[in-house]
């Protein structure tokens, strides 16, 4: 899709971001409405089919099969030696099916300097076993780590038993990776009793330590859903840690940034413990970009986006085809947990139309009257609605990046980057849900660095219309609103919206979600600090949705 050029932005890149400006406007609105308010680590490197679809194809080809480049490793001819231990970024798994799962690693002896690998392909051996000691190896093979993909490998380990846990590891030369733990999905025709998920988003490296992941890794989960902003593209420093390098623009820049984030040992621990299903938001490329339009006038933006998409693919355990020749990357897809739940993973960045009103939060600038914006694009929207209508699952979980609920404060504060800025596209989805009379639809979101849970009505924001879904918004792992506005002021104003049953603007953490055949329970897990390397965690709130009963059940 080629969009008309975005008019030049009036704000400089040093001006407040959309989220910062949002909270400033919220505070002003709160004062009026409420009477005022005060203003790179190393891993343990040593010697030692279910239904699925994507935006472009149903079978993705991992980039690990063949190569014409010289190879070296476990069975190849002698070649360049590794300059150091290669498994500095750990291992990961993701996008499981009933008989297979994607296994990931990247060879990077010098992770913050492009990886430090020779310009040669390396043979990487992998093993998958039923036990952590690898006494019962049930699958093994070799993959090719190619320079063109930063020596990352995506192994599709097939022929596995459904609904089963496994352990996996990689080896190249004399080096063996950390051991990862993963699992397969239940069989498509099965009737599971339970699914345990965690949702997470927004992990700005410079803002804090990943203390939430240390606790997430200790939970009893089946899968982690990551809802966007895995990296931040800017070149900022502190307050807790510094980004290496300036703002990302080239493939090397993005590779180094992913390597810096991937080097965090708490993040590695969460990847080592569970399979993940990952989608992106904006900061994997550029703050607030949409489709082929940058946040500021940038004639080189498509080259930048192409680099960012490739780096995302290289660093995620994702079951999709590699980037296309035009640089696009189809990441929307779905998977089923037997007949208990079906998860739809969306892309709300690549296919949408431009934001209105120069994306400046506030009142309508006169563009809403003729607004006909598109959030998902026709192909993805049709895929989603057809999939939801056909799904036999008890629970339909829609995992996407941004807040779906109406929170525009009667038009005084419209956040044009959220679904509030695309009211016709949102109402089209609501009309579909109401018309199909779908039960147990739960929308998962992140992005705004707040936590909350809300009813979603058939007419957006109108509590007099039936509840057709529930939304769960996970707060950030580390990212903050970066404003001096007291969180209590924000919470006071948001608390006036009747659909919102829980809201937290002051804490960091994740959401732990327990799905059974009778109910879905969301626990909002909050850490006491991100400013030191260790923290305690508490369940700040727990809310439930009963199967077949619309809306959030309050304690």
């Amino acid at each position: 899709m080629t969009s008309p050029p975005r008019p030049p932005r009036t704000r400089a890149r040093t001006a407040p971001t959309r989220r910062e400006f949002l909270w400033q406007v919220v505070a002003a609105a709160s004062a009026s409405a409420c009477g005022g308010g005060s203003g790179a680590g190393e891993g343990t490197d040593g010697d030692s089919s279910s239904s699925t679809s994507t935006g472009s194809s149903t079978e993705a080809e991992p980039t690990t099969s063949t190569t014409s480049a010289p190879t070296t490793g476990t069975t190849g001819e002698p070649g360049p030696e590794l300059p150091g231990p290669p498994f500095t970024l750990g291992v990961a798994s993701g996008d499981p099916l009933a008989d297979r799962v994607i296994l990931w690693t990247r060879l990077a002896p010098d992770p913050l300097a492009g990886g430090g690998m020779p310009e040669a392909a390396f043979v990487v051996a992998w093993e998958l076993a039923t036990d952590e000691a690898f006494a019962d190896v049930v699958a093994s093979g070799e993959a090719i780590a190619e320079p063109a993909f930063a020596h990352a490998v995506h192994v599709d380990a097939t022929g596995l038993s459904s609904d089963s846990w496994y352990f996996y590891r990689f080896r190249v030369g004399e080096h063996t990776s950390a051991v990862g733990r993963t699992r397969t999905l239940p069989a498509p025709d099965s009737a599971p009793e339970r699914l345990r998920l965690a949702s997470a988003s927004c992990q700005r490296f410079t803002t804090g330590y990943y203390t939430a992941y240390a606790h997430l890794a200790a939970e009893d989960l089946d899968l982690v859903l990551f809802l966007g902003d895995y990296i931040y593209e800017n070149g900022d420093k502190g307050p807790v840690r510094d980004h290496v390098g300036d703002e990302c623009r080239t493939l090397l820049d993005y590779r180094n940034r992913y390597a810096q984030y991937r080097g965090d040992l708490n993040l590695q621990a969460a990847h080592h413990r569970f399979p993940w299903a990952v989608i992106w938001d904006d900061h994997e490329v550029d703050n607030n970009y949409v489709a082929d339009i940058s946040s500021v006038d940038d004639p080189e933006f498509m080259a930048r986006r192409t680099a960012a998409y490739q780096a995302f693919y290289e660093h995620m355990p994702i079951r999709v085809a590699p980037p296309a020749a035009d640089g696009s990357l189809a990441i929307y897809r779905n998977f089923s947990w037997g007949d208990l739940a079906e998860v739809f993973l969306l892309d709300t960045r690549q296919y949408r139309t431009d934001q209105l009103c120069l994306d400046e939060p506030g009142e309508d600038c006169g563009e809403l009257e003729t607004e006909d914006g598109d959030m998902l694009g026709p192909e993805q929207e049709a895929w989603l609605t057809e999939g939801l209508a056909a799904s036999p699952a008890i629970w339909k979980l829609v995992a996407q990046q941004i807040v779906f609920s109406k929170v525009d404060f009667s038009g005084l504060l419209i956040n044009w980057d959220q679904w509030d800025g695309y009211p016709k596209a949102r109402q089209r989805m609501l009309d579909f849900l109401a018309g199909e009379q779908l039960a147990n639809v739960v929308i998962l979101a992140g992005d705004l660095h707040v936590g909350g849970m809300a009813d979603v009505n058939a007419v957006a924001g109108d509590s007099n219309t039936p509840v057709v879904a529930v939304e769960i918004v996970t707060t950030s792992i580390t990212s903050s609103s970066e404003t001096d506005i007291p969180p209590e002021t924000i919470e006071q104003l948001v608390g006036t919206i009747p659909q919102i049953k829980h809201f937290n603007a002051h804490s960091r953490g994740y959401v732990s979600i327990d799905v059974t055949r009778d109910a879905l329970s969301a626990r909002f897990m909050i850490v006491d600090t991100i400013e030191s390397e260790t923290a305690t965690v508490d369940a700040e709130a727990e809310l439930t949705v009963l199967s077949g009963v619309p809306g959030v059940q309050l304690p």
Side-chain angles (χ1 to χ4, degrees):
M1 180 177 71
T2 301
S3 303
R6 170 181 277 172
R9 296 283 178 148
T10 57
R11 64 182 186 274
R13 293 196 67 85
T14 55
T17 68
R18 166 176 52 86
R19 295 172 183 85
E20 295 163 2
F21 185 63
L22 168 65
W23 299 132
Q24 294 170 13
V25 179
V26 164
S30 178
S32 173
C34 304
S38 59
E42 171 76 12
T44 57
D45 187 294
D47 297 324
S48 358
S49 190
S50 176
S51 173
T52 182
S53 62
T54 70
S56 58
S57 66
T58 57
E59 292 297 328
E61 293 294 331
T63 57
T64 57
S65 54
T66 61
T67 178
S68 58
T71 61
T72 184
T74 57
T75 61
E77 295 297 323
E81 292 186 2
L82 287 167
F87 296 111
T88 58
L89 307 183
V91 300
S93 68
D95 285 2
L97 300 179
D99 65 344
R100 64 191 63 195
V101 65
I102 296 293
L103 310 179
W104 174 93
T105 194
R106 179 188 167 201
L107 309 181
D110 192 357
L112 302 185
M117 289 290 292
E119 282 295 316
F122 280 71
V123 177
V124 181
W126 60 273
E127 294 178 297
L128 188 142
T130 60
D131 64 309
E132 195 168 4
F134 288 84
D136 181 25
V137 174
V138 297
S140 62
E142 292 180 336
I144 305 299
E146 303 182 44
F149 289 95
H151 292 95
V153 296
H154 296 76
V155 172
D156 200 358
T158 62
L160 309 181
S161 299
S162 64
D163 201 13
S164 299
W165 285 97
Y166 293 97
F167 297 88
Y168 63 96
R169 64 187 177 187
F170 296 90
R171 188 177 71 257
V172 59
E174 299 179 349
H175 301 279
T176 302
S177 73
V179 173
R181 175 175 172 264
T182 192
R183 65 161 301 149
T184 53
L185 301 183
D189 58 353
S190 65
E193 292 295 325
R194 190 179 184 193
L195 165 62
R196 294 153 297 188
L197 302 167
S199 63
S201 73
C202 303
Q203 53 188 34
R204 189 169 183 168
F205 187 84
T206 59
T207 308
Y209 294 104
Y210 294 159
T211 54
Y213 280 132
H215 295 283
L216 184 151
E219 290 227 29
D220 183 15
L221 302 173
D222 295 302
L223 188 75
V224 174
L225 298 178
F226 192 85
L227 304 178
D229 293 344
Y230 193 97
I231 63 165
Y232 279 68
E233 82 288 6
N234 50 53
D236 64 340
K237 310 295 182 184
V240 174
R241 304 187 280 191
D242 295 342
H243 276 146
V244 172
D246 297 326
E247 182 160 341
C248 297
R249 296 188 177 277
T250 68
L251 181 56
L252 178 61
D253 293 339
Y254 285 106
R255 284 172 170 172
N256 288 343
R257 186 60 50 85
Y258 275 103
Q260 184 174 25
Y261 280 57
R262 279 284 196 173
D264 184 276
L265 296 184
N266 283 333
L267 178 57
Q268 286 189 15
H271 274 294
H272 292 177
R273 184 68 175 163
F274 312 112
W276 285 40
V278 181
I279 50 178
W280 59 39
D281 192 22
D282 54 343
H283 286 289
E284 287 87 353
V285 181
D286 179 35
N287 180 51
N288 264 31
Y289 90 96
V290 293
D292 55 358
I293 306 170
S294 64
S295 61
V296 295
D297 188 21
D298 180 4
E300 304 299 324
F301 176 69
M302 283 305 292
R304 179 183 184 182
R305 196 192 81 166
T306 296
Y309 281 10
Q310 175 160 337
F312 175 88
Y313 172 80
E314 290 172 348
H315 290 84
M316 294 299 120
I318 190 168
R319 184 183 295 282
V320 301
D326 63 359
S328 62
L329 181 62
I331 68 165
Y332 60 88
R333 57 206 191 278
N334 66 306
F335 63 88
S336 297
W337 195 267
D339 73 343
L340 177 62
E342 186 161 6
V343 181
F344 298 85
L345 298 138
L346 306 187
D347 179 356
T348 61
R349 283 289 158 194
Q350 189 173 188
Y351 309 107
R352 70 157 112 168
T353 53
D354 196 10
Q355 300 103 332
L356 301 180
C357 298
L358 292 179
D359 195 22
E360 294 285 8
E363 295 185 76
D364 178 23
C365 64
E367 296 182 357
L368 261 184
E369 184 176 349
T370 58
E371 180 270 337
D372 194 20
D374 204 349
M375 178 65 77
L376 302 177
E379 183 177 336
Q380 182 180 195
E381 185 172 321
W383 168 86
L384 174 61
T385 55
E386 290 168 7
L388 286 169
S391 177
I394 297 173
W395 297 94
K396 290 90 172 169
L397 309 182
V398 181
Q400 48 94 60
Q401 297 79 357
I402 53 178
V403 173
F404 187 85
S405 299
K406 186 174 183 179
V407 285
D408 67 354
F409 304 102
S410 301
L412 295 175
L413 174 58
I414 303 171
N415 186 338
W416 304 103
D417 191 64
Q418 306 295 304
W419 283 89
D420 272 344
Y422 298 77
K424 290 183 181 178
R426 176 173 58 194
Q427 193 56 50
R428 195 162 58 242
M429 289 301 305
L430 293 173
D431 291 344
F432 162 77
L433 295 177
E436 293 289 331
Q437 297 183 328
L438 296 180
N440 306 329
V441 176
V442 178
I443 300 168
L444 305 177
D447 184 56
L448 282 187
H449 315 157
V450 299
M453 195 161 176
D455 291 341
V456 177
N457 296 99
V459 175
D462 186 352
S463 57
N464 294 317
T465 61
V467 173
V468 296
V470 163
E471 181 168 28
I472 300 171
V473 180
T474 181
T475 189
S476 62
I477 293 293
T478 55
S479 306
S480 67
S481 57
E482 299 181 355
T483 176
D484 294 330
I485 306 304
E488 296 80 7
T489 303
I490 302 167
E491 292 165 354
Q492 184 181 14
L493 181 61
V494 174
T496 66
I497 302 174
Q499 290 87 355
I500 297 179
K501 309 304 180 183
H502 169 68
F503 184 76
N504 177 346
H506 61 271
S507 300
R508 312 275 74 83
Y510 60 95
V511 180
S512 182
I513 302 171
D514 196 348
V515 184
T516 69
R517 303 184 78 81
D518 298 322
L520 180 149
S521 178
R523 291 186 302 145
F524 291 80
M525 306 302 294
I526 301 302
V527 292
D528 67 338
T529 183
I530 57 172
E531 296 178 356
S532 63
E533 296 187 37
T534 59
T536 60
V537 68
D538 289 299
E540 179 193 53
E542 183 170 354
L543 292 89
T544 300
V545 183
L546 299 178
S547 179
V549 180
V552 179
Q553 302 296 307
L554 294 178

